[in-house]
Amino acid sequence: MIQLATSAGDHRTLIMSLFGVFVLATLGITLWAGRSTRDASDFYAGGRGFTGFQNGLAISGDYMSAASFLGITGAIALSGYDGFLYSIGFLVAWLVALLLVAEPLRNSGRYTMADVLAFRMRQRPVRTAAGISTIVVSIFYLLAQMVGAGSLVALLLGAQGDAAKRWVIVAVGALMVLYVVIGGMKGTTWVQIIKAVLLILGAGLMTVLVLAKFHFNLSELLGSAAKASGSGDKFLQPGLKYGTNGTTKLNFLSLGIALVLGTAALPHILVRFYTVPTARTARKSVLWSIGIIGVFYLMTLALGFGAAALVGRKALAADKSGNTAAPLLAEHLGGGAGTTGGAVLLAVISAVAFATILAVVAGLTLASSSSFAHDLYANVIRRGKATEKEEVASAKFAAVAIGAVAILLSIFADKLNAAALVALAFAVAASANLPTLLYSLFWKRFNTTGAVASTYAGLITSVGLVVFSPVVSGNAKALIPGSDFDWFPLENPGLVSIPVGFLAGVIGTYLSREKADPAKYAELEVRSLTGLGAH
């Protein structure tokens, strides 16, 4: 990391110029979009005017986060085969979203996930539970992006020490709030589209350069990575990180379940289905995003193993989180430390990573602030009597508050791998949101008590287990390194909390005396399958 910072220092003007150009360009887009944001539909759903391809790019931009680019590259570079699990899990998860959620959600809802849940149940308890869950999941996901931003930008701009990282995190947080407050969904979507294109181009360039170093021979690349890793052939086999004992094997299973089931319940992904005019377009956008995301995750394979082979274990190990593996690789591919080519490619890739962070945090902040305004403020606090103007104003205030909380928590999470942090968000989403969403769409008997029980049980179990896991205490890389209350041995709670969420929904439904309205379920079924009556 010292070498990287030194090289960056030699060309700091170039790096800061690239960062400045991107920030000014995206702020310009946001201001342009803000002028055409006139009502709640514009703010929440971008006027529902995006095409399938545009929304597919935007979904990809939302999904290919700092965790994907920085975290997964680092995880593969440090853990080999086991690190690649993140890429596989993130990609396979889209099949669940496509087959079970995309079309019914677009047909049944209006602005948020809670619109679907509240359609045939009592509004206030269901919207309260869904709103709280959305905000918690979004904050977990925001942590990953802010941590990546702090590590990357502080390093490149030569900001030394924890205090400097904190100021970087504050600056990123302020920008994300600005994007949401001014541009709403339209501005955020266009920022995500541009960022997705930049990320694919940047990752593609690096992939070609890595493969060229090994004569486009994948076997040669993998062999060199294994040799440089210090672990030999074990680097290319399962078990280097997750197969050392029974606990790590369960960690592997828990992580896989959370990744595969979590995507279909992530709030900032779900709201993207409302930005298109029809359910058919929603389906098309998911298909486009699967293709784009699939290509990107294949490229992370070359980037991760390329970093292991070319950068070397010693340089990678200087940052225990692995979040700087991609910038280190970019510098090497450009010509190495101290060279103009190295500094240029480092600056370009770092600017792309920064774009990634800004776009994703804007999407997350929008999803959580929208849920607060539409679900909690308009329908619970004001009991459906709030005007559209009041609702949008409350969303903007919520964006500021959520941004402040994310900034505060991120300051303490800088030692954690970004991909691992995102996996926690997936676990919370799969535990609290997915059971309720699937039961609402496909189970006739499901009622309000079951929905509330499922959401809160999944949410409390997943967050509670994270608090008492090695992520928070018991080791040097934990959130609170000097403490020791990690009685839950798994780093990801999905193996326990996801079944709890599904089971609580069943138990709550059968123990309740409340009878589900069959006419409402029939109406929801017709709407979810055909789009009849959809907004």
Side-chain angles (χ1 to χ4, degrees):
M1 288 211 299
I2 294 169
Q3 186 184 43
L4 177 58
T6 304
S7 177
D10 295 338
H11 301 84
R12 190 149 292 133
T13 303
L14 171 66
I15 293 169
M16 293 184 73
S17 299
L18 277 170
F19 273 51
V21 166
F22 178 78
V23 171
L24 289 174
T26 50
L27 281 175
I29 292 165
T30 304
L31 287 167
W32 164 76
R35 290 179 180 177
S36 59
T37 300
R38 297 183 181 86
D39 54 23
S41 177
D42 287 332
F43 186 84
Y44 292 136
R48 306 188 201 280
F50 291 99
T51 66
F53 177 63
Q54 288 172 336
N55 198 45
L57 272 172
I59 288 174
S60 305
D62 238 344
Y63 197 66
M64 297 183 304
S65 63
S68 299
F69 189 47
L70 302 177
I72 293 178
T73 300
I76 295 172
L78 293 174
S79 305
Y81 182 98
D82 283 5
F84 193 52
L85 169 69
Y86 286 102
S87 292
I88 299 299
F90 284 145
L91 179 56
V92 170
W94 275 105
L95 297 178
V96 180
L98 174 64
L99 296 174
L100 295 178
V101 172
E103 184 176 354
L105 191 80
R106 168 62 190 82
N107 285 339
S108 309
R110 190 178 182 191
Y111 297 138
T112 66
M113 176 186 73
D115 287 338
V116 178
L117 307 182
F119 184 82
R120 63 188 185 97
M121 299 173 195
R122 285 182 282 126
Q123 294 270 324
R124 297 187 76 202
V126 170
R127 285 193 183 274
T128 301
I132 292 170
S133 174
T134 295
I135 292 169
V136 172
V137 172
S138 297
I139 287 175
F140 264 101
Y141 215 123
L142 277 168
L143 279 178
Q145 313 311 317
M146 307 289 273
V147 166
S151 299
L152 180 72
V153 182
L155 195 63
L156 291 166
L157 300 185
Q160 301 297 321
D162 291 340
K165 273 190 182 180
R166 288 168 189 165
W167 281 113
V168 169
I169 287 171
V170 170
V172 172
L175 275 172
M176 78 180 180
V177 170
L178 209 59
Y179 286 157
V180 173
V181 170
I182 296 173
M185 180 59 87
K186 279 187 180 178
T188 301
T189 299
W190 281 111
V191 169
Q192 286 161 344
I193 288 171
I194 292 167
K195 166 254 162 158
V197 172
L198 288 174
L199 186 57
I200 287 291
L201 291 175
L205 172 63
M206 286 178 67
T207 299
V208 170
L209 291 174
V210 166
L211 293 175
K213 290 271 186 182
F214 298 95
H215 311 100
F216 293 91
N217 187 327
L218 194 58
S219 296
E220 190 179 336
L221 166 62
L222 297 178
S224 298
K227 187 177 179 181
S229 70
S231 302
D233 289 342
K234 289 182 179 179
F235 192 70
L236 306 177
Q237 297 170 2
L240 187 62
K241 181 177 180 181
Y242 294 113
T244 54
N245 55 51
T247 300
T248 56
K249 288 177 181 177
L250 287 175
N251 249 330
F252 178 90
L253 182 61
S254 188
L255 174 64
I257 292 171
L259 294 180
V260 170
L261 296 180
T263 297
L266 288 172
H268 69 298
I269 299 297
L270 295 177
V271 297
R272 292 237 56 90
F273 298 135
Y274 295 130
T275 64
V276 292
T278 65
R280 185 181 179 186
T281 313
R283 249 190 345 265
K284 280 184 178 178
S285 64
V286 175
L287 287 172
W288 272 113
S289 64
I290 288 175
I292 296 164
I293 291 165
V295 169
F296 173 77
Y297 283 130
L298 282 176
M299 290 192 289
T300 63
L301 179 66
L303 298 180
F305 283 113
L310 298 172
V311 177
R313 183 77 184 180
K314 186 178 179 182
L316 291 170
D319 176 19
K320 293 178 182 178
S321 68
N323 293 332
T324 56
L328 282 165
L329 177 62
E331 183 185 51
H332 181 93
L333 293 171
T339 65
T340 301
V344 169
L345 191 56
L346 170 64
V348 169
I349 295 304
S350 299
V352 169
F354 188 60
T356 298
I357 291 162
L358 287 178
V360 175
V361 294
L364 287 161
T365 308
L366 181 66
S368 48
S369 61
S370 298
S371 185
F372 173 84
H374 184 62
D375 299 326
L376 297 177
Y377 176 76
N379 286 289
V380 175
I381 298 171
R382 295 295 304 276
R383 298 174 182 267
K385 296 177 182 178
T387 64
E388 281 198 354
K389 189 176 180 180
E390 290 173 335
E391 199 173 317
V392 172
S394 71
K396 293 179 178 180
F397 282 118
V400 176
I402 290 162
V405 172
I407 289 167
L408 188 64
L409 291 175
S410 300
I411 289 169
F412 300 99
D414 64 320
K415 294 181 181 67
L416 298 177
N417 179 275
L421 278 170
V422 163
L424 294 180
F426 274 64
V428 177
S431 306
N433 294 347
L434 187 64
T436 317
L437 193 58
L438 293 183
Y439 285 152
S440 295
L441 289 170
F442 302 113
W443 186 19
K444 191 175 185 177
R445 185 167 177 172
F446 194 51
N447 58 29
T448 303
T449 306
V452 172
S454 180
T455 302
Y456 284 130
L459 185 64
I460 292 168
T461 304
S462 55
V463 175
L465 292 179
V466 169
V467 169
F468 295 105
S469 76
V471 171
V472 174
S473 71
N475 63 84
K477 293 197 292 182
L479 280 177
I480 312 173
S483 56
D484 188 10
F485 47 87
D486 55 328
W487 55 261
F488 182 68
L490 304 183
E491 293 178 358
N492 192 291
L495 189 62
V496 176
S497 59
I498 295 172
V500 166
F502 277 98
L503 187 62
V506 174
I507 293 172
T509 298
Y510 280 110
L511 289 182
S512 172
R513 294 180 181 179
E514 178 188 3
K515 299 294 182 184
D517 185 346
K520 271 288 187 185
Y521 175 76
E523 185 182 346
L524 177 64
E525 187 175 36
V526 170
R527 177 181 285 198
S528 68
L529 293 174
T530 66
L532 187 67
H535 295 281

